[in-house]
């Protein structure tokens, strides 16, 4: 006898019901529906560097079109290890420590699946980039937040110590640190990261660092990799990738750098998640990792100009903004120009104002936080930024 037909909703895993679709990508969909300028999602609307496009086309022509070695081509892993030594000060080899993934996003999920288990606690500073929660939930880990406190979004040492002491005699398994930080724009200082490194080492906690914006820092700020501090070399998974530095977010080239046994575990998971990152784009990424120093200088100069223009324009309209030290977002407090909450303001702006932005409450789990802020992404052509500012002025200026 047939039992009743299953309802589709009942077939969905309870785990998946614990997180929502990406609010950032939802705002991108709304931007398309309403013909709005997309200041919501963090990707450039300008061309990728010509040398990289030529390298990608060449790689396809030269037939780098089949599966790569699952954890990344030998050459790309060697290039990333060299970059990790030179730029980050992390001692790594391509053979033992580097895994190439489909973006930093897959790197994070693969790391969490490989290194955390059901009911492990993971500390996530709040506000946070939105993929950290689904990564934890998919792995079965429980999230404990610590607050980055405004106006400067720094750590509260006492709160950190409480979080590291764990619950019921059980220490947390890991902490996720994102520097330069999305959405706050903070670049954590050597002393802030030193405190975190000490707390990790004292409590046997793994650090998972998302350093995807490591090359986008302003006003002489220095990016520091936590893996280089204290005793953290063997207890840190450093995540980064090509998306933001080389303006190729669609290439899906990311990586982890970690101690050999941690790397072996990450590689195992990565293999069965995606097999490998796109082969021709791994080949092309070799050109990215060999660009001269002048590339990075002009990247910083160009983003500094865009940041300064948008900051000045937003402040002139009455927004209250924290000047980002790194990454390419401005978190703007709209209290002076809009009485409602962040969702109503973002909806109004995308439908009636022609500019899409992200309601900041989506970067928090704690109810009530972020209700008076929106996040604007500025990796856009100067004329796109000018047009976005013009449109916003008409609504709020
Ligand atoms: N990490 C942070 C903090 C981000 O802001 C983003 C994209 O916006 C990502 C990771 C995603 O990186 P990828 O394109 O390499 O998956």
């Amino acid at each position: 006898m047939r039992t009743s037909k299953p309802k589709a909703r009942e077939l969905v895993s309870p785990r998946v019901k614990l997180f929502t679709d990406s609010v950032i990508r939802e705002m991108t969909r709304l931007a398309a529906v309403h013909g709005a300028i997309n200041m919501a999602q963090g990707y450039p609307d300008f061309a990728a560097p010509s040398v990289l496009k030529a390298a990608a086309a060449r790689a396809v022509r030269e037939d780098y079109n089949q599966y790569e070695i699952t954890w990344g081509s030998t050459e790309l892993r060697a290039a990333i290890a060299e970059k990790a030594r030179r730029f980050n000060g992390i001692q790594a080899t391509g053979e033992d420590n580097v895994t190439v993934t489909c973006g930093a996003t897959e790197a994070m999920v693969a790391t969490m699946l490989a290194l955390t288990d059901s009911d492990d606690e993971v500390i996530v500073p709040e506000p946070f980039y939105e993929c950290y929660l689904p990564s934890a939930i998919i792995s079965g880990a429980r999230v404990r937040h610590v607050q980055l406190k405004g106006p400067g979004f720094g750590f509260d040492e006492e709160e950190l110590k409480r979080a590291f002491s764990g619950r019921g005699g059980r220490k947390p398994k890991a902490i996720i640190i994102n520097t330069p930080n999305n959405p706050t724009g903070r670049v954590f200082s050597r002393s802030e990261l030193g405190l975190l490194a000490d707390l990790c080492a004292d409590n046997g906690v793994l650090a998972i660092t998302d350093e995807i914006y490591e090359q986008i820092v302003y006003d002489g700020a220095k990016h520091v990799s936590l893996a280089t501090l204290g005793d953290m070399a063997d207890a840190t998974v450093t995540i980064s990738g090509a998306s933001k530095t080389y303006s190729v977010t669609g290439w899906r080239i990311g990586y982890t750098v970690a101690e050999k046994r941690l790397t072996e575990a990450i590689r195992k998971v990565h293999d069965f998640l995606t097999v490998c990152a796109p082969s021709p784009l791994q080949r092309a990424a070799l050109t990215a990792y060999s660009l001269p120093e002048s590339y990075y200088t002009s990247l910083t100069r160009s983003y500094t100009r865009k940041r300064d223009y948008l900051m000045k324009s937003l402040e002139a309209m009455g927004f209250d903004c924290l000047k980002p030290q790194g990454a390419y977002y401005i978190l703007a407090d709209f209290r002076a120009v809009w009485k409602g909450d962040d969702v109503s303001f973002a909806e109004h702006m995308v439908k009636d104002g022609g500019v899409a932005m992200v309601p900041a409450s989506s970067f928090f789990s704690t109810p009530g936080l972020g209700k008076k802020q929106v996040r604007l992404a500025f990796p856009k052509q100067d004329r796109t930024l000018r047009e976005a500012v013009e449109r916003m002025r008409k609504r709020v200026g």
Side-chain angles (χ1 to χ4, degrees):
M1 201 178 70
R2 277 184 72 179
T3 51
S4 61
K5 199 168 135 207
K7 293 192 182 61
R9 197 182 145 67
E10 288 160 11
L11 297 176
V12 174
S13 133
R15 195 188 305 126
V16 170
K17 293 179 189 158
L18 293 176
F19 56 94
T20 61
D21 283 325
S22 157
V23 175
I24 298 172
R25 289 185 281 280
E26 174 59 16
M27 289 313 297
T28 291
R29 282 189 287 275
L30 285 177
V33 169
H34 298 288
I37 297 175
N38 187 358
M39 305 276 281
Q41 199 171 353
Y43 65 85
D45 73 341
F46 45 82
S50 315
V51 279
L52 299 192
K53 291 191 286 190
R58 200 165 52 241
V60 171
R61 271 200 311 276
E62 289 177 359
D63 239 334
Y64 288 89
N65 293 315
Q66 309 308 327
Y67 298 130
E68 237 324 331
I69 297 172
T70 181
W71 44 82
S73 77
T74 309
E75 294 92 332
L76 183 55
R77 278 181 289 125
I80 291 169
E82 162 59 19
K83 174 260 169 198
R85 286 194 295 272
R86 188 173 29 82
F87 176 75
N88 305 90
I90 298 172
Q91 293 312 313
T93 69
E95 192 53 33
D96 288 342
N97 308 113
V98 177
T99 309
V100 177
T101 57
C102 293
T105 307
E106 195 228 331
M108 182 58 72
V109 180
T111 300
M112 292 288 285
L113 280 168
L115 305 180
T116 68
D117 212 339
S118 301
D119 283 338
D120 278 340
E121 191 169 80
V122 176
I123 304 172
V124 179
E126 186 181 45
F128 50 85
Y129 174 59
E130 61 173 11
C131 89
Y132 306 150
L133 282 199
S135 303
I137 291 166
I138 289 168
S139 321
R142 280 177 297 113
V143 167
R144 174 172 185 161
H145 291 295
V146 292
Q147 302 296 321
L148 294 173
K149 298 246 163 67
F153 290 107
F155 288 101
D156 175 333
E157 190 167 339
E158 289 313 310
E159 191 191 359
L160 269 182
K161 285 184 177 155
R162 275 197 302 282
F164 273 87
S165 69
R167 272 193 251 256
R170 225 174 130 194
K171 299 276 186 180
K173 177 71 189 277
I175 182 166
I176 298 179
I177 299 295
N178 171 216
T179 185
N181 187 265
N182 172 11
T184 66
R186 275 301 317 277
V187 175
F188 295 115
S189 67
R190 183 173 287 276
S191 75
E192 286 171 303
L193 292 167
L195 168 69
L196 290 165
D198 287 346
L199 285 168
C200 284
D202 291 349
N203 294 287
V205 171
L206 169 78
I208 305 171
T209 65
D210 177 346
E211 306 183 17
I212 194 82
Y213 297 103
E214 60 192 346
Q215 298 281 5
I216 304 176
V217 293
Y218 309 113
D219 309 326
K222 288 268 172 296
H223 170 70
V224 176
S225 290
L226 193 141
T228 62
L229 301 179
D231 291 330
M232 289 308 288
D234 290 348
T236 303
V237 179
T238 305
I239 293 176
S240 190
S243 287
K244 312 291 179 172
T245 304
Y246 304 108
S247 303
V248 288
T249 57
W251 280 19
R252 315 310 301 131
I253 300 288
Y255 63 80
T256 60
V257 178
E259 186 274 342
K260 187 169 192 276
R261 270 145 310 179
L262 303 186
T263 294
E264 282 164 5
I266 292 166
R267 286 177 176 178
K268 254 191 197 171
V269 174
H270 158 72
D271 189 1
F272 291 104
L273 282 178
T274 59
V275 180
C276 65
S279 314
L281 301 175
Q282 289 197 43
R283 184 75 192 162
L286 281 176
T287 303
Y289 286 105
S290 64
L291 286 174
E293 207 42 50
S294 57
Y295 172 79
Y296 303 96
T297 317
S298 78
L299 182 79
T300 309
R301 195 181 310 123
S302 157
Y303 276 135
T304 304
R305 206 171 23 78
K306 293 177 194 299
R307 175 200 65 166
D308 291 348
Y309 170 73
L310 189 59
M311 273 290 293
K312 198 161 65 68
S313 308
L314 289 169
E315 285 178 342
M317 284 184 254
F319 290 90
D320 188 10
C321 311
L322 180 73
K323 197 175 196 177
Q325 301 167 321
Y328 49 42
Y329 306 96
I330 293 179
L331 208 47
D333 188 312
F334 53 77
R335 243 171 282 226
V337 300
W338 182 259
K339 293 287 165 260
D341 68 4
D342 60 327
V343 173
S344 69
F345 183 62
E347 270 177 15
H348 168 65
M349 287 310 295
V350 72
K351 285 187 186 146
D352 308 320
V355 183
M357 47 195 80
V358 182
S361 55
S362 65
F363 301 108
F364 293 86
S365 297
T366 308
L369 296 181
K371 289 276 182 205
K372 293 291 177 188
Q373 289 160 314
V374 282
R375 190 200 74 175
L376 292 106
F378 58 84
K380 307 292 166 192
Q381 299 174 69
D382 291 350
R383 64 184 154 95
T384 311
L385 290 177
R386 275 197 304 274
E387 172 65 19
V389 165
E390 262 328 292
R391 290 185 185 191
M392 288 179 75
R393 258 193 211 123
K394 286 198 187 120
R395 290 285 147 188
V396 302

Short mmCIF file of all heavy atoms in Angstrom, two decimals, residues 344-378:
data_model
loop_
_atom_site.label_atom_id
_atom_site.label_comp_id
_atom_site.label_asym_id
_atom_site.label_seq_id
_atom_site.Cartn_x
_atom_site.Cartn_y
_atom_site.Cartn_z
N SER A 344 13.29 48.71 5.76
CA SER A 344 12.40 49.64 5.06
C SER A 344 13.22 50.65 4.24
O SER A 344 12.85 51.00 3.12
CB SER A 344 11.44 50.35 6.02
OG SER A 344 12.15 51.26 6.85
N PHE A 345 14.36 51.07 4.78
CA PHE A 345 15.19 52.03 4.04
C PHE A 345 15.77 51.37 2.78
O PHE A 345 15.72 51.95 1.68
CB PHE A 345 16.31 52.58 4.93
CG PHE A 345 17.15 53.62 4.24
CD1 PHE A 345 16.58 54.82 3.81
CD2 PHE A 345 18.50 53.41 4.01
CE1 PHE A 345 17.34 55.79 3.16
CE2 PHE A 345 19.26 54.37 3.35
CZ PHE A 345 18.69 55.55 2.93
N ALA A 346 16.29 50.15 2.94
CA ALA A 346 16.89 49.47 1.77
C ALA A 346 15.82 49.18 0.72
O ALA A 346 16.07 49.32 -0.49
CB ALA A 346 17.57 48.17 2.22
N GLU A 347 14.61 48.82 1.17
CA GLU A 347 13.52 48.55 0.21
C GLU A 347 13.14 49.83 -0.54
O GLU A 347 12.97 49.83 -1.76
CB GLU A 347 12.29 48.03 0.96
CG GLU A 347 12.31 46.51 1.06
CD GLU A 347 11.12 45.99 1.86
OE1 GLU A 347 10.13 46.74 2.08
OE2 GLU A 347 11.21 44.83 2.27
N HIS A 348 13.03 50.91 0.24
CA HIS A 348 12.69 52.20 -0.36
C HIS A 348 13.75 52.59 -1.39
O HIS A 348 13.42 53.00 -2.52
CB HIS A 348 12.60 53.25 0.76
CG HIS A 348 12.55 54.66 0.29
ND1 HIS A 348 11.49 55.16 -0.45
CD2 HIS A 348 13.43 55.69 0.43
CE1 HIS A 348 11.72 56.43 -0.73
NE2 HIS A 348 12.88 56.77 -0.22
N MET A 349 15.00 52.43 -1.03
CA MET A 349 16.06 52.88 -1.93
C MET A 349 16.16 52.02 -3.19
O MET A 349 16.45 52.52 -4.27
CB MET A 349 17.42 52.90 -1.19
CG MET A 349 17.56 54.03 -0.19
SD MET A 349 17.13 55.68 -0.81
CE MET A 349 18.39 55.91 -2.04
N VAL A 350 15.91 50.71 -3.05
CA VAL A 350 16.03 49.89 -4.26
C VAL A 350 14.81 50.09 -5.17
O VAL A 350 14.96 50.13 -6.40
CB VAL A 350 16.28 48.39 -3.91
CG1 VAL A 350 15.06 47.69 -3.35
CG2 VAL A 350 16.78 47.63 -5.13
N LYS A 351 13.62 50.27 -4.58
CA LYS A 351 12.41 50.39 -5.42
C LYS A 351 12.24 51.81 -5.95
O LYS A 351 11.96 52.00 -7.12
CB LYS A 351 11.17 50.03 -4.59
CG LYS A 351 11.05 48.53 -4.36
CD LYS A 351 9.73 48.20 -3.68
CE LYS A 351 9.69 46.72 -3.34
NZ LYS A 351 8.97 46.45 -2.10
N ASP A 352 12.38 52.79 -5.07
CA ASP A 352 12.06 54.18 -5.46
C ASP A 352 13.30 55.03 -5.72
O ASP A 352 13.23 56.04 -6.42
CB ASP A 352 11.23 54.86 -4.35
CG ASP A 352 10.03 54.02 -3.96
OD1 ASP A 352 9.42 53.44 -4.88
OD2 ASP A 352 9.73 53.93 -2.75
N GLY A 353 14.43 54.63 -5.11
CA GLY A 353 15.63 55.48 -5.22
C GLY A 353 16.60 55.00 -6.29
O GLY A 353 17.53 55.71 -6.65
N GLY A 354 16.43 53.74 -6.77
CA GLY A 354 17.30 53.24 -7.83
C GLY A 354 18.70 52.87 -7.36
O GLY A 354 19.63 52.80 -8.17
N VAL A 355 18.87 52.61 -6.07
CA VAL A 355 20.18 52.17 -5.56
C VAL A 355 19.96 51.01 -4.59
O VAL A 355 19.18 51.14 -3.64
CB VAL A 355 20.93 53.32 -4.82
CG1 VAL A 355 22.30 52.85 -4.37
CG2 VAL A 355 21.06 54.55 -5.71
N ALA A 356 20.65 49.90 -4.84
CA ALA A 356 20.52 48.74 -3.93
C ALA A 356 21.63 48.75 -2.90
O ALA A 356 22.79 49.03 -3.23
CB ALA A 356 20.58 47.44 -4.74
N MET A 357 21.27 48.49 -1.65
CA MET A 357 22.25 48.41 -0.56
C MET A 357 21.80 47.31 0.38
O MET A 357 20.69 46.78 0.23
CB MET A 357 22.36 49.77 0.14
CG MET A 357 21.03 50.41 0.47
SD MET A 357 21.18 52.16 0.88
CE MET A 357 21.29 52.91 -0.72
N VAL A 358 22.61 46.96 1.36
CA VAL A 358 22.25 45.82 2.22
C VAL A 358 21.81 46.31 3.59
O VAL A 358 22.54 47.07 4.24
CB VAL A 358 23.46 44.86 2.39
CG1 VAL A 358 23.07 43.66 3.25
CG2 VAL A 358 23.98 44.40 1.05
N PRO A 359 20.61 45.90 4.05
CA PRO A 359 20.21 46.24 5.41
C PRO A 359 21.17 45.59 6.40
O PRO A 359 21.43 44.39 6.32
CB PRO A 359 18.79 45.65 5.55
CG PRO A 359 18.59 44.74 4.38
CD PRO A 359 19.62 45.07 3.34
N ALA A 360 21.72 46.40 7.32
CA ALA A 360 22.83 45.90 8.16
C ALA A 360 22.40 44.84 9.16
O ALA A 360 23.25 44.09 9.65
CB ALA A 360 23.50 47.07 8.86
N SER A 361 21.10 44.75 9.47
CA SER A 361 20.70 43.73 10.45
C SER A 361 21.04 42.33 9.96
O SER A 361 21.18 41.41 10.75
CB SER A 361 19.20 43.84 10.77
OG SER A 361 18.45 43.77 9.58
N SER A 362 21.25 42.17 8.62
CA SER A 362 21.59 40.84 8.11
C SER A 362 23.02 40.43 8.49
O SER A 362 23.40 39.28 8.30
CB SER A 362 21.40 40.78 6.59
OG SER A 362 22.30 41.65 5.95
N PHE A 363 23.82 41.36 9.02
CA PHE A 363 25.17 41.01 9.47
C PHE A 363 25.20 40.69 10.96
O PHE A 363 26.28 40.51 11.54
CB PHE A 363 26.15 42.16 9.18
CG PHE A 363 26.22 42.52 7.72
CD1 PHE A 363 25.66 43.70 7.24
CD2 PHE A 363 26.83 41.67 6.81
CE1 PHE A 363 25.71 44.02 5.90
CE2 PHE A 363 26.90 41.99 5.46
CZ PHE A 363 26.33 43.17 5.00
N PHE A 364 24.04 40.68 11.58
CA PHE A 364 23.94 40.39 13.02
C PHE A 364 22.97 39.23 13.23
O PHE A 364 22.01 39.08 12.48
CB PHE A 364 23.37 41.60 13.77
CG PHE A 364 24.26 42.81 13.79
CD1 PHE A 364 24.23 43.73 12.75
CD2 PHE A 364 25.11 43.06 14.87
CE1 PHE A 364 25.04 44.86 12.76
CE2 PHE A 364 25.91 44.18 14.89
CZ PHE A 364 25.87 45.09 13.84
N SER A 365 23.20 38.46 14.30
CA SER A 365 22.19 37.47 14.73
C SER A 365 21.36 38.05 15.86
O SER A 365 20.21 37.70 16.05
CB SER A 365 22.83 36.20 15.27
OG SER A 365 23.56 35.57 14.31
N THR A 366 22.01 38.89 16.68
CA THR A 366 21.33 39.42 17.86
C THR A 366 20.21 40.36 17.42
O THR A 366 20.48 41.35 16.72
CB THR A 366 22.33 40.19 18.76
OG1 THR A 366 23.44 39.32 19.01
CG2 THR A 366 21.69 40.62 20.06
N PRO A 367 18.96 40.04 17.81
CA PRO A 367 17.84 40.88 17.34
C PRO A 367 18.03 42.33 17.75
O PRO A 367 18.53 42.62 18.84
CB PRO A 367 16.62 40.26 18.05
CG PRO A 367 17.05 38.88 18.44
CD PRO A 367 18.54 38.93 18.67
N GLY A 368 17.66 43.22 16.86
CA GLY A 368 17.70 44.66 17.19
C GLY A 368 18.97 45.34 16.74
O GLY A 368 19.01 46.56 16.60
N LEU A 369 20.04 44.58 16.47
CA LEU A 369 21.31 45.23 16.08
C LEU A 369 21.34 45.49 14.57
O LEU A 369 20.80 44.71 13.78
CB LEU A 369 22.51 44.38 16.50
CG LEU A 369 22.68 44.18 18.01
CD1 LEU A 369 23.93 43.35 18.31
CD2 LEU A 369 22.78 45.54 18.73
N GLY A 370 21.97 46.59 14.21
CA GLY A 370 22.13 46.94 12.79
C GLY A 370 20.89 47.56 12.16
O GLY A 370 20.84 47.76 10.95
N LYS A 371 19.90 47.89 12.99
CA LYS A 371 18.61 48.35 12.46
C LYS A 371 18.65 49.76 11.88
O LYS A 371 17.69 50.21 11.26
CB LYS A 371 17.56 48.32 13.58
CG LYS A 371 17.15 46.91 13.97
CD LYS A 371 16.08 46.45 13.04
CE LYS A 371 15.56 45.08 13.37
NZ LYS A 371 15.00 44.42 12.19
N LYS A 372 19.72 50.48 12.16
CA LYS A 372 19.79 51.87 11.67
C LYS A 372 20.94 52.07 10.69
O LYS A 372 21.43 53.18 10.50
CB LYS A 372 19.96 52.82 12.88
CG LYS A 372 18.73 52.86 13.78
CD LYS A 372 17.56 53.54 13.06
CE LYS A 372 16.30 53.52 13.90
NZ LYS A 372 15.13 54.01 13.13
N GLN A 373 21.40 50.97 10.10
CA GLN A 373 22.53 51.09 9.17
C GLN A 373 22.28 50.28 7.89
O GLN A 373 21.53 49.30 7.90
CB GLN A 373 23.80 50.55 9.84
CG GLN A 373 24.33 51.45 10.93
CD GLN A 373 25.24 50.69 11.87
OE1 GLN A 373 24.94 49.58 12.30
NE2 GLN A 373 26.37 51.29 12.16
N VAL A 374 22.93 50.72 6.85
CA VAL A 374 22.97 49.94 5.61
C VAL A 374 24.44 49.84 5.18
O VAL A 374 25.27 50.66 5.60
CB VAL A 374 22.17 50.61 4.46
CG1 VAL A 374 20.68 50.39 4.61
CG2 VAL A 374 22.50 52.09 4.32
N ARG A 375 24.74 48.82 4.37
CA ARG A 375 26.10 48.67 3.86
C ARG A 375 26.13 48.96 2.37
O ARG A 375 25.33 48.41 1.61
CB ARG A 375 26.61 47.25 4.11
CG ARG A 375 28.10 47.09 3.82
CD ARG A 375 28.49 45.65 3.59
NE ARG A 375 28.04 45.17 2.30
CZ ARG A 375 28.32 43.97 1.79
NH1 ARG A 375 29.04 43.11 2.50
NH2 ARG A 375 27.88 43.59 0.60
N LEU A 376 27.03 49.85 1.97
CA LEU A 376 27.19 50.16 0.54
C LEU A 376 28.56 49.67 0.07
O LEU A 376 29.57 49.92 0.73
CB LEU A 376 27.09 51.67 0.31
CG LEU A 376 25.69 52.24 0.56
CD1 LEU A 376 25.66 53.03 1.84
CD2 LEU A 376 25.27 53.12 -0.59
N ALA A 377 28.56 48.97 -1.07
CA ALA A 377 29.82 48.47 -1.65
C ALA A 377 30.30 49.46 -2.70
O ALA A 377 29.50 49.92 -3.52
CB ALA A 377 29.57 47.11 -2.29
N PHE A 378 31.61 49.78 -2.68
CA PHE A 378 32.08 50.79 -3.64
C PHE A 378 33.11 50.30 -4.67
O PHE A 378 33.84 51.12 -5.25
CB PHE A 378 32.57 52.06 -2.93
CG PHE A 378 33.67 51.87 -1.92
CD1 PHE A 378 34.99 51.82 -2.31
CD2 PHE A 378 33.37 51.76 -0.57
CE1 PHE A 378 36.00 51.65 -1.38
CE2 PHE A 378 34.38 51.60 0.37
CZ PHE A 378 35.70 51.54 -0.04
#
